[in-house]
DNA sequence: GTGGTCTAGACCACC
DNA sequence: GTGGTCTAGACCACA
């Protein structure tokens, strides 16, 4: 995984893990990688991973079993999905529409882009 | 103008001015407010405005006439619009589509949201 | 005449006038344009031209006849030429040579550039 | 390091660092001094160094690793060298040649000066 | 009047 | 520890 610059790394890790959960790659009660393990994998400071895990735990997406590790919560998928969806509707969409109007991007353009993107996705 | 927190002020000023240009509120060769003037208007430090102006000048959106002030470049609208559009297509859209798929938001849903937003816009 | 940005306008005007003198376009005791006249020609604030003229007068390149105008000094060509030459040898050349070494530009390269430049000059 | 007056400090810092890279004193992926550190070394304000680093980052000469520091880019030497060379050919040389013609300095004179300078360099 | 630079000092997010 | 941002205030060159 490569990180974009301009956004904090710990946020990108959170997003990465949420995506794993949303896509079902990680199932409820699966054990997630240990802090140190993931830190090595991502080439990142363990403190940074720790911060991401703490945040995810606060949100209830993962839980900790002392001395054992972190695990995916049973309701993580629904919880994460609804949170994302709410954020999507209240933050992403309004901004999206404003930008579209500003740069002259029509809803038709957007549909084309969507189908094009789906093709690229499946190929 | 009020500033969101979490993003730097000078970036929001840049965006604000670009929007002025995009919407045609400021025409090419119009003089933009002086650094000090805008600083007072926005209630920020002149250095902050200065930074925004320098950035806009680097992008070619405005130009400076020594001892007189800053002016909107003749090609500022097209330049800004195409820059925004490119960024929109390469950064915003892919992320958007991924999120849509992840949270189960269809292109039809998006069209509904669009028409709803447009109504709210005109009313 | 178009001005570069990054250098002060009054300096460029000084240089411009010195060049007229060096090339013989303006001869000793010729009258130079009035401050206002040149200011209009160059599309510049009269104060700026005035500043250039004052500087040239201090250097002895031009002299003023009250109520009449400015004139090229009799020794202006030699004076200017020797000043330029001194500056060239003490400031320009050392810097030039350092840059050449830094970017790997040989004296042979420079000769080629010279002949090429001369050709472009005559054509 | 002592700064010339008449040019901005942050530009001289940029040049200083580019020279370090060009001469190979600083190798790709070497860590450059921290902002605060260099500021103390040079006896200037950290903001000034920060400005230089931002500029160098924009040019791609250095990159930032969040929370760690700045590092020399892998292609910094070539990139910097070619940029300098381009600037040399398009800005320095034409002006040089014009001055030479104006003050009557021949290419032969210049070769002599070059060899003399080289001797002074090695001794 | 204009912009450009610099300092001093503070606060913050991040690693 | 690192860089990033912002403020306040000053000084300067320039038009």
């Amino acid at each position: 995984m490569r990180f974009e610059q301009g956004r904090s790394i710990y946020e990108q890790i959170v997003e990465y893990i949420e995506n794993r959960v949303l896509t079902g790659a990680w199932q409820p009660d699966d054990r997630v990688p240990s802090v140190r393990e993931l830190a090595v994998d991502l080439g990142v400071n363990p403190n940074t991973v720790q911060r991401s895990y703490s945040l995810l735990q606060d949100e209830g997406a993962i839980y900790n079993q002392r001395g054992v590790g972190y695990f995916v919560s049973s309701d993580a998928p629904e919880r994460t999905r609804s949170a994302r969806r709410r954020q999507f509707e209240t933050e992403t969409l309004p901004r999206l529409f404003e930008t579209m109007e500003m740069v002259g991007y029509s809803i038709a353009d957007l549909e084309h882009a969507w189908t094009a993107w789906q093709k690229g996705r499946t190929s």
Side-chain angles (χ1 to χ4, degrees), chain A residues 8-120:
Chain A
S8 55
I9 293 181
Y10 84 92
E11 273 183 337
Q12 298 182 53
I13 295 177
V14 165
E15 202 176 301
Y16 164 76
I17 292 175
E18 288 180 347
N19 288 350
R20 304 294 274 173
V21 170
L22 281 179
T23 58
W26 291 359
Q27 296 286 333
D29 292 318
D30 276 3
R31 186 174 178 283
V32 303
S34 78
V35 171
R36 290 180 191 175
E37 199 177 342
L38 188 57
V40 172
D41 269 21
L42 300 179
V44 150
N45 191 305
N47 289 333
T48 308
V49 175
Q50 181 58 54
R51 180 163 184 177
S52 305
Y53 278 16
S54 299
L55 211 156
L56 285 161
Q57 187 174 15
D58 289 348
E59 292 176 348
I62 63 179
Y63 62 91
N64 178 266
Q65 212 165 326
R66 292 201 54 143
V68 185
Y70 285 92
F71 298 82
V72 177
S73 303
S74 56
D75 60 349
E78 308 88 54
R79 183 193 289 264
T80 304
R81 176 167 287 111
S82 72
R84 279 268 181 101
R85 193 170 176 118
R86 194 170 348 104
Q87 186 194 3
F88 180 79
E89 289 170 335
T90 61
E91 295 176 24
T92 306
L93 281 189
R95 212 173 264 187
L96 176 81
F97 292 151
E98 275 177 25
T99 305
M100 283 175 63
E101 217 165 48
M102 206 89 75
V103 303
Y105 206 86
S106 72
I107 188 74
D109 293 337
L110 202 136
E111 284 182 57
H112 286 135
W114 167 262
T115 54
W117 181 78
Q118 290 220 328
K119 267 188 197 161

